[in-house]
Amino acid sequence: MNVLVGLGGSDESIKTLRQTIDRTQDVGDDLTIAVLEKPESKRSQDEMYEEANALLSEAGVDADLVRLEGDPGSALVDHAEQGEFDQLVIGGGTLSPMGKIQLGPITEFVLLNAPTTVKLVR
């Protein structure tokens, strides 16, 4: 399977990447990691790029790493449209006091507009 992972600068993004790397080791997916530009994030795009590279090296997984500029949701959907991806993986979503999932605007945009199956890691 050809998998695209979208990474912002959050802890959820790191969790998403770790889970996707584990799956890749188990089943041999082709992996592309898109590091998004999100100035308001906990980590900068450069920090996320370096962290992704370190996690991939540590796991011995070969993947393409790309940096996407501009609006994170639009950039990720555009990149997914240009590639031959079977699945798009993103992290996100929190639980409301009522126990229902709450999606941020980027996650919601990707879920509604992606041209392929989206896997949401919570």
Side-chain angles (χ1 to χ4, degrees), residues 1-7 17 20 24 29-35 56 62-66 68 76 79 83 85 87-89:
M1 187 177 332
N2 195 5
V3 177
L4 173 63
V5 180
L7 294 184
L17 179 58
T20 306
T24 299
D29 290 334
D30 291 325
L31 187 58
T32 299
I33 300 168
V35 183
L56 289 166
D62 186 35
D64 294 327
L65 268 168
V66 297
L68 300 182
L76 188 57
H79 193 74
F85 299 104
Q87 187 176 69
L88 171 56
V89 181

Side-chain angles (χ1 to χ4, degrees), residues 5-19:
V5 180
L7 294 184
S10 67
D11 293 336
E12 290 83 15
S13 290
I14 298 300
K15 177 183 174 183
T16 299
L17 179 58
R18 288 181 191 276
Q19 287 186 13

Side-chain angles (χ1 to χ4, degrees), residues 60-120:
V61 172
D62 186 35
D64 294 327
L65 268 168
V66 297
R67 296 173 198 252
L68 300 182
E69 306 296 327
D71 177 73
S74 295
L76 188 57
V77 168
D78 289 346
H79 193 74
E81 286 174 346
Q82 295 171 12
E84 295 290 324
F85 299 104
D86 302 306
Q87 187 176 69
L88 171 56
V89 181
I90 56 174
T94 58
L95 289 180
S96 74
M98 299 295 292
K100 298 192 182 219
I101 189 168
Q102 294 177 314
L103 302 176
I106 295 168
T107 302
E108 183 177 344
F109 181 87
V110 172
L111 286 169
L112 294 174
N113 295 284
T116 187
T117 301
V118 179
K119 177 180 178 180
L120 180 63

